Amino acid sequence: MRGQAAAPGPIWILAPLLLLLLLLGRWARAASGADIGPGTEQCTTLVQGKFFGYFSAAAVFPANASRCSWTLRNPDPRRYTLYMKVAKAPAPCSGPGRVRTYQFDSFLESTRTYLGVESFDEVLRLCDSSAPLAFLQASKQFLQMQRQQPPQDGDLGPQGEFPSSSDDFSVEYLVVGNRNPSHAACQMLCRWLDACLAGSRSSHPCGIMQTPCACLGGDVGDPASSPLVPRGDVCLRDGVAGGPENCLTSLTQDRGGHGSAGGWKLWSLWGECTRDCGGGLQTRTRTCLPTLGVEGGGCEGVLEEGRLCNRKACGPTGRSSSRSQSLRSTDARRREEFGDELQQFGFPSPQTGDPAAEEWSPWSVCSSTCGEGWQTRTRFCVSSSYSTQCSGPLREQRLCNNSAVCPVHGAWDEWSPWSLCSSTCGRGFRDRTRTCRPPQFGGNPCEGPEKQTKFCNIALCPGRAVDGNWNEWSSWSTCSASCSQGRQQRTRECNGPSYGGAECQGHWVETRDCFLQQCPVDGKWQAWASWGSCSVTCGGGSQRRERVCSGPFFGGAACQGPQDEYRQCGAQRCPEPHEICDEDNFGAVVWKETPAGEVAAVRCPRNATGLILRRCELDEEGIAFWEPPTYIRCVSIDYRNIQMMTREHLAKAQRGLPGEGVSEVIQTLLEISQDGTSYSGDLLSTIDVLRNMTEIFRRAYYSPTPGDVQNFVQIISNLLAEENRDKWEEAQLMGPNAKELFRLVEDFVDVIGFRMKDLRDAYQVTDNLVLSIHKLPASGATDISFPMKGWRATGDWAKVPEDRVTVSKSVFSTGLAEADDSSVFVVGTVLYRNLGSFLALQRNTTVLNSKVISVTVKPPPRSLLTPLEIEFAHMYNGTTNQTCILWDETDGPSSSAPPQLGPWSWRGCRTVPLDALRTRCLCDRLSTFAILAQLSADATMDKVTVPSVTLIVGCGVSSLTLLMLVIIYVSVWRYIRSERSVILINFCLSIISSNALILIGQTQTRNKVVCTLVAAFLHFFFLSSFCWVLTEAWQSYMAVTGRLRSRLVRKRFLCLGWGLPALVVAISVGFTKAKGYSTMNYCWLSLEGGLLYAFVGPAAAVVLVNMVIGILVFNKLVSKDGITDKKLKERAGL
């Protein structure tokens, strides 16, 4: 007993201490729970990414927490609007705790400030229990409910809780799109709007001001037809099943916010209709979950409900799905169908006696209790295998006219327009009314409110600004580092400002340094160094590399692992002395000793980048020798710069960026390529530039001009110039071959053809190729011939082309009539003058005996119903066995073509000889074509374009005659020595030289240098011939006038006969840089560029001057003195 009496003593002593500790703990939690923004408190709920939901105040604002908030985030205030429904507590507010509801635009972390705060307290009025439901509409970024003031110690309830207005209310929220909201969301929102307007009054207006849904009486349609109705215990949202907590409708109805499990469950699915037509019944049920402590389980209402279904009347052809109907025979069914057809046209249905049919059932009750309805009766067919089959209908209907008058329920008229807002700023309200049309014949009165009120004008009123104010600082955080230097911080929050008030002044965060101890740093290996050189060059050696350990520091661990490592190297066999190429000085480059099978490399010359490669190989006897060096990796500086600029333009085109300068790049490349290529690598660089240019043309980044197209084709022609032959032969081994060139031209034709704005033809003629592009619709296509009628080529070799191509119009078809009406085809034909000589097909017994022609059609046709016709002119004499070949990269090693042909094949082409100089090819595919011929034993490889017999005879006879004249003059020179004789001998020499150059030029067309020299000298001697004729006329005039006795005059004759032509030729060569001297077919002046006028102009001037001098001399001779003076006639040569 004593022990029991003494026990309370220590309890009374410790009670004040326990109470003090409890109060300090609550104060610390309140200080640490200061608001630091939406969604960052320990007692804070941030909802985002959800479009509907439900919560109770007891769950969000627990009784043992002092400062809590619930925030709903709007995904996009421009596209969505927030709606909230609050079921208030049945009892008025008690206790000092206060829950505030407001919306705001954003929260600034830098200043801990809420921007655009607007309160909803007067809209919700949580403490006003006279209106059990409250609704609001928010259009800002965040909607927040927050318990603002912490409870005091004296407000502790009997169980240690804080009674507050937030203890017993529940909230439902909904996020609805402003445009095209979902049907389910509109259903829920329209119900809310109906309830909000029904309970609105002047003292408590409706908080929903507008909705994006077309609500009719609070709903948007028949709930039974909605695709989102709950089925059983499953709630569907957008076709996806979820738990009941995801449903749009509230699953709890004012249960004190505790979410007890009692109450009705969801309705089951509607059952099947009892009848197919004429009106049936559907039913559904639900289950009651009893609530503990509530009498009767807490469920009110019915367990089962029904609705009418299949109300449409049964037609005369309606049949029952009963089993007895299927027992009728086929004949009976046909008779019934025939009877049904008679009934449709007003004839009575045929009735047949049926002993197997039962009697009709009594007529059913009328389907309508008032007005017009339907009655039905049925019968069954009783039959067996030995009885008569049933016939006739199994069901009948008739109208029933009920004499009772149907009641007419009361109906509301349309709502009146909303009244003006009661306030021009701040929050006002407006209302509208409607009139009820009274019921008749016992109908129900109108349901719903006669007047509705809602809030309006949420604009802020001036003069009500509230400045922001800082909360208390939070406690310092822990040090950010357990060792070394760290940081601590504390924060505070700004409440407000509101209604345009000033923001809080000062910083919302403070930091300070903290240091505990130095941190240990473990050692760390640095990256491995590069491998050292091998100890030997062959026969097996080793390489070594090492790494460095950084650290450790302050007691850290040392680096783990080895510091260096080794590997084997130089395992190849050491070559014998005869298997090593000796040091060689070739091409101004010193090539060091290199084992056989390896490639030596040195830097390219200064005007190029890259490496010169040279391989050391073994001959048949196993002796090492140097192969010729290759410059495929050397690219001139100018070509490299063009290549880099083109890649920059292509990168811009791929990103869709506009730009300029593409035409300048093409023009620069044209000027460089006209001077020729220095290395075979320049060919590779040029083809890469042209390929990138084609990709640029393909995009909308740049539209090629006609000048760009002409320059593009001219660059390809420059690559095929004769001076690049050795570069092509070298490039064929390692770099671009004919395949790359064919693909480049084919892609260029495709791009340029479809970039043409209209249907037209384009021709490009150069020294080495002719390009023809035709763009035509499939619907009106005709046969395409190359060259076309009216061909006006300016190139000398292409003026009268000897090769022809015919493309049938059957090619331009897709196989679909509808597609052919709108399809457009592009046909490209390319005639290469000298590409065949670059393809290295000439062997001991075969030669490419024609030019090369490429034909392409875009889009590619499915097949060629009519063969492609190509006529080739032979290039060489003394060849036999002419064979049509085409470029076919699909042929493999197993092809029937000889291996020396490479990708060339004769499959797909048929050869038709025309004559000794021409061959026709009929091919069933589009490709690149040529003629392959065999050389005879006595073939001389002379081209067909050798000087003709007529030319040889004419020039020979003329030269021999003039030569004999010169010999005669020289033999009797001492007797006929005179100025006229000198002029005649010089004239004869110029004519003889011109004839010789004409014959030489006809055989040197392939040699560009020789042909150019022949053309220049031919230009000089032809002009000399005309000038010596002019000298002869001048001499006659001087003789007539008596001024011929001067040596100065004789020197002027020589200057005029030889000096003037030399001056004209020198000026022409200087201005044109010898371009235009020589063509592909002859060594004479080109018709392009106007160089021909350098001969025609002086010749015409000489003829004109001769005519003038002749007239003067004639007048002098026929004068009175001239007739009588015989010596004058002798001096004039008469």
Side-chain angles (χ1 to χ4, degrees), residues 263-282:
W264 289 110
K265 294 184 66 177
L266 295 177
W267 286 102
S268 65
L269 295 175
W270 286 103
E272 296 184 357
C273 191
T274 58
R275 307 180 70 174
D276 296 334
C277 60
L281 182 65
Q282 281 181 300

Side-chain angles (χ1 to χ4, degrees), residues 878-1041:
T879 57
T880 59
N881 194 15
Q882 313 294 330
T883 305
C884 297
I885 58 175
L886 58 84
W887 187 271
D888 188 2
E889 298 178 8
T890 60
D891 288 347
S894 61
S895 173
S896 58
Q900 65 268 21
L901 291 182
W904 291 98
S905 171
W906 55 59
R907 296 189 308 173
C909 282
R910 183 163 58 92
T911 305
V912 180
L914 297 179
D915 51 42
L917 301 179
R918 299 183 64 82
T919 300
R920 176 180 295 171
C921 299
L922 302 178
C923 303
D924 59 1
R925 68 186 72 178
L926 300 174
S927 183
T928 301
F929 309 93
I931 294 293
L932 186 69
Q934 288 186 349
L935 296 173
S936 58
D938 56 347
T940 60
M941 290 296 293
D942 292 333
K943 299 193 67 173
V944 177
T945 57
V946 294
S948 63
V949 176
T950 304
L951 182 63
I952 295 175
V953 172
C955 292
V957 172
S958 175
S959 299
L960 288 176
T961 304
L962 293 175
L963 184 60
M964 290 177 60
L965 180 61
V966 171
I967 294 174
I968 294 173
Y969 265 64
V970 172
S971 60
V972 294
W973 178 251
R974 60 181 177 176
Y975 303 106
I976 61 172
R977 182 176 181 179
S978 64
E979 289 81 3
R980 185 178 295 110
S981 299
V982 173
I983 293 173
L984 182 59
I985 291 175
N986 283 278
F987 174 76
C988 292
L989 291 177
S990 63
I991 295 298
I992 292 173
S993 301
S994 300
N995 292 337
L997 290 174
I998 289 175
L999 297 177
I1000 294 173
Q1002 289 294 316
T1003 61
Q1004 298 296 326
T1005 55
R1006 296 187 61 185
N1007 194 325
K1008 183 70 173 177
V1009 177
V1010 176
C1011 192
T1012 301
L1013 292 176
V1014 169
F1017 279 103
L1018 196 59
H1019 185 198
F1020 168 74
F1021 284 112
F1022 275 168
L1023 286 180
S1024 296
S1025 301
F1026 279 89
C1027 288
W1028 282 115
V1029 173
L1030 177 61
T1031 304
E1032 174 69 16
W1034 186 15
Q1035 186 270 340
S1036 300
Y1037 178 76
M1038 297 294 290
V1040 171
T1041 57

Side-chain angles (χ1 to χ4, degrees), residues 240-461:
V240 180
E245 66 278 8
N246 292 331
C247 294
L248 289 176
T249 57
S250 175
L251 300 182
T252 58
Q253 301 292 335
D254 301 338
R255 300 171 188 168
H258 300 287
S260 59
W264 289 110
K265 294 184 66 177
L266 295 177
W267 286 102
S268 65
L269 295 175
W270 286 103
E272 296 184 357
C273 191
T274 58
R275 307 180 70 174
D276 296 334
C277 60
L281 182 65
Q282 281 181 300
T283 61
R284 64 176 182 177
T285 61
R286 59 178 176 175
T287 307
C288 176
L289 297 179
T291 304
L292 299 180
V294 179
E295 184 178 359
C299 298
E300 296 181 1
V302 298
L303 293 172
E304 182 178 10
E305 67 177 2
R307 69 177 182 184
L308 294 176
C309 57
N310 295 339
R311 300 181 181 180
K312 59 183 180 296
C314 295
T317 59
R319 301 184 181 92
S320 173
S321 59
S322 63
R323 181 174 178 270
S324 62
Q325 187 176 4
S326 63
L327 298 177
R328 290 180 293 172
S329 63
T330 305
D331 294 338
R333 293 181 181 178
R334 292 179 179 175
R335 289 194 298 269
E336 179 185 344
E337 293 173 355
F338 179 74
D340 295 340
E341 295 177 357
L342 292 177
Q343 277 188 329
Q344 293 178 0
F345 293 94
F347 297 98
S349 174
Q351 300 292 332
T352 59
D354 190 356
E358 288 188 353
E359 295 294 331
W360 288 102
S361 64
W363 288 102
S364 63
V365 180
C366 192
S367 60
S368 178
T369 59
C370 61
E372 184 177 320
W374 287 89
Q375 285 181 303
T376 60
R377 67 175 182 176
T378 58
R379 63 177 176 177
F380 295 94
C381 179
V382 181
S383 63
S384 63
S385 59
Y386 54 85
S387 64
T388 305
Q389 295 288 342
C390 297
S391 62
L394 299 180
R395 183 174 185 173
E396 289 185 346
Q397 289 184 327
R398 70 178 182 183
L399 292 173
C400 52
N401 295 323
N402 199 309
S403 59
V405 179
C406 294
V408 178
H409 303 300
W412 290 107
D413 290 335
E414 294 294 331
W415 285 99
S416 64
W418 288 99
S419 63
L420 297 177
C421 194
S422 60
S423 176
T424 58
C425 66
R427 192 179 298 278
F429 61 88
R430 55 181 179 176
D431 53 31
R432 65 178 179 178
T433 59
R434 58 181 176 176
T435 306
C436 177
R437 289 180 295 199
Q440 299 178 1
F441 309 112
N444 298 327
C446 297
E447 297 181 356
E450 185 178 0
K451 182 179 181 181
Q452 291 181 342
T453 307
K454 67 177 182 179
F455 284 101
C456 59
N457 282 350
I458 60 174
L460 300 179
C461 293

Side-chain angles (χ1 to χ4, degrees), residues 1006-1127:
R1006 296 187 61 185
N1007 194 325
K1008 183 70 173 177
V1009 177
V1010 176
C1011 192
T1012 301
L1013 292 176
V1014 169
F1017 279 103
L1018 196 59
H1019 185 198
F1020 168 74
F1021 284 112
F1022 275 168
L1023 286 180
S1024 296
S1025 301
F1026 279 89
C1027 288
W1028 282 115
V1029 173
L1030 177 61
T1031 304
E1032 174 69 16
W1034 186 15
Q1035 186 270 340
S1036 300
Y1037 178 76
M1038 297 294 290
V1040 171
T1041 57
R1043 289 182 264 178
L1044 195 59
R1045 299 298 180 178
S1046 176
R1047 292 185 178 181
L1048 181 61
V1049 174
R1050 297 176 182 177
K1051 292 181 180 179
R1052 289 177 181 176
F1053 289 166
L1054 295 177
C1055 292
L1056 179 60
W1058 298 111
L1060 182 60
L1063 179 62
V1064 172
V1065 172
I1067 294 176
S1068 300
V1069 172
F1071 272 100
T1072 62
K1073 297 181 180 179
K1075 293 179 182 178
Y1077 282 93
S1078 76
T1079 65
M1080 297 302 170
N1081 293 332
Y1082 46 81
C1083 298
W1084 177 231
L1085 303 183
S1086 174
L1087 300 180
E1088 301 176 0
L1091 182 60
L1092 187 61
Y1093 293 106
F1095 169 73
V1096 176
V1102 168
V1103 173
L1104 181 61
V1105 173
N1106 281 344
M1107 293 176 60
V1108 174
I1109 293 177
I1111 293 173
L1112 294 177
V1113 172
F1114 180 77
N1115 290 334
K1116 184 69 175 178
L1117 293 176
V1118 298
S1119 64
K1120 181 178 180 181
D1121 295 336
I1123 295 175
T1124 59
D1125 192 354
K1126 295 182 179 180
K1127 293 184 178 180

